[in-house]
Amino acid sequence: MTAELALPMRRDGFGPAAELGEVRDGDGVVRVDSPFGQTGYLVTRFADVRRVLGDPARFSNARARATSPLEARLSDEEAARLRAGGLLGYDPPEHSRLRRMLTPEFTVRRMRRLEPRIVEIVEAALDDVERAGKPADLVSRFALPVPSLVICELLGVPYSDRDEFQSISARLLDTSLPADERMAAQHANRDYMAGLVERAQADPGEDMLGMLVREHGSDITTDELVGICSLLLLAGHETTSNMLGLGTLALLQNPDQLALVRDDPAMIEPAVEELLRWLSIVHSVAMRMTTEEVEIAGNTIAEGELVMLSIPTANRDASFIDDPETLDITRGVGGHLAFGHGVHHCLGAPLARMEMRIAFPALLRRFPGLALADPEAQPDFRVFNAVYGLERLELTW
């Protein structure tokens, strides 16, 4: 039996489903089931989503995480270990303490040092695409390998383990799977990273994992270290890989804009920002729980209620941007919520932006005749995945 797709995850091609837009343009808030079984309020307007993201005191990540059905069957001790280090399930000041240790590693200046190596990784992946011959699946040959190798080298994860951690990630993010399977994937994810942490504690290298052990070993528990690195590995390859695949398809369907990205270096940065806004691959960021009675879009929400945030509908809100349904890379408007907002704003945003700024034009220049292998085929979207994207993208050139 096919699982029912929860409203916050429903899409129509690249954008949110029509019923989500109707909520945004109507009441702005609706009570729905989450993709994980709880019931709460879905917030859809740009200003309201931004307000919730910017107010961790009244909208708590930690309280929401404690309601996870996946953890309901665990003992308190097991649940605490599973949550440890998971920044998306923390509130200040605990969140601030852990994030402070990581922030210096993700500054724009630090990311620029990685640029030559990212260029090498992108070119090597393009070589692989060319060797494989046409048609080639862009997802498995390019979109997934590039960010996976980058985050592996940055974090200190053996790239040879990619099949293992990519398989675990896929199960973790697949909301159609039974709860037992997703819980098993959570345990497998932490078990895998625990082995790497143990090795780093015995012999810390020059990567980020080694840095955390050397510089913060006395300030962070082993369980926290496992949780932080598990999240960084998952987020570091899943999000950017889906942006590269989905973004390429979007450009192929807008050839005039594809040409600008390929031929005009000044258009690359605004193109990345517009693709981030228009695609909004994260359906709904981590849920929050109200810590007091609040009002959103004229709706009173009691204390102790779960709140979900629809990033795709917020980023296509006409009160935020003119003509929001149109992909227009020439505007390159900042301020979108694709990376979140506030204390939980995506730590890896500078890295993701750099990878895309390098990868998109490199791909389009290497293969100026890039095209869909079968223009009549329907895109194979990852419908039930918590991070939207494509299963495959067969291309020719």
Side-chain angles (χ1 to χ4, degrees), residues 297-351:
N299 297 270
T300 299
I301 300 177
E303 177 186 349
E305 292 283 0
L306 288 173
V307 174
M308 292 164 269
L309 307 171
S310 178
I311 303 302
T313 48
N315 276 338
R316 293 193 182 207
D317 189 338
S319 69
F320 162 56
I321 192 170
D322 292 334
D323 194 16
E325 298 299 325
T326 298
L327 177 68
D328 180 4
I329 66 169
T330 64
R331 56 182 163 196
V333 174
H336 59 73
L337 302 173
F339 288 121
H341 172 70
V343 297
H344 289 283
H345 182 270
C346 177
L347 188 66
L351 176 61

Side-chain angles (χ1 to χ4, degrees), residues 128-158:
D128 181 56
V129 172
E130 200 160 11
R131 278 193 301 269
K134 50 189 176 183
D137 173 28
L138 189 81
V139 173
S140 62
R141 292 286 182 182
F142 183 73
L144 188 54
V146 167
S148 294
L149 183 50
V150 171
I151 196 64
C152 280
E153 291 191 359
L154 183 65
L155 194 56
V157 173

Side-chain angles (χ1 to χ4, degrees), residues 124-272:
L126 290 172
D127 291 342
D128 181 56
V129 172
E130 200 160 11
R131 278 193 301 269
K134 50 189 176 183
D137 173 28
L138 189 81
V139 173
S140 62
R141 292 286 182 182
F142 183 73
L144 188 54
V146 167
S148 294
L149 183 50
V150 171
I151 196 64
C152 280
E153 291 191 359
L154 183 65
L155 194 56
V157 173
Y159 187 58
S160 56
D161 291 349
R162 62 190 179 278
D163 288 344
E164 180 179 358
F165 67 71
Q166 287 169 1
S167 173
I168 292 171
S169 297
R171 297 198 305 277
L172 264 174
L173 296 173
D174 187 348
T175 62
S176 70
L177 292 179
D180 287 344
E181 287 189 39
R182 284 187 282 121
M183 177 57 75
Q186 281 205 34
H187 285 298
N189 191 38
R190 290 189 70 97
D191 289 345
Y192 170 73
M193 189 55 66
L196 298 184
V197 167
E198 184 178 0
R199 276 181 267 169
Q201 288 172 328
D203 183 19
E206 297 303 313
D207 45 62
M208 191 180 299
L209 184 48
M211 177 279 297
L212 288 169
V213 169
R214 282 194 310 275
E215 298 183 15
H216 303 287
S218 59
D219 306 317
I220 187 171
T221 69
T222 296
D223 284 338
E224 287 174 336
L225 193 54
V226 169
I228 287 172
C229 293
S230 296
L231 176 62
L232 291 177
L233 179 60
L234 174 68
H237 76 275
E238 277 286 346
T239 50
T240 307
S241 68
N242 284 297
M243 275 299 304
L244 290 174
L246 211 56
T248 299
L249 179 60
L251 291 173
L252 286 169
Q253 294 187 2
N254 293 270
D256 55 331
Q257 302 195 50
L258 182 151
L260 288 173
V261 176
R262 183 188 63 220
D263 301 332
D264 186 352
M267 289 308 307
I268 297 169
E269 188 168 340
V272 166

Side-chain angles (χ1 to χ4, degrees), residues 107-120:
T107 61
V108 173
R109 179 181 298 179
R110 187 66 61 91
M111 290 302 104
R112 283 183 182 142
R113 295 183 195 171
L114 292 175
E115 186 169 357
R117 178 58 183 143
I118 295 174
V119 170
E120 289 178 358

Side-chain angles (χ1 to χ4, degrees), residues 5 15 26 46 86 104 108-109 121 168 213 265-266 314 341 359-360 363 387 391:
L5 191 61
F46 181 87
V108 173
R109 179 181 298 179
I121 289 171
I168 292 171
V213 169
H341 172 70
F360 280 126
L363 170 68
V387 181
E391 295 288 352

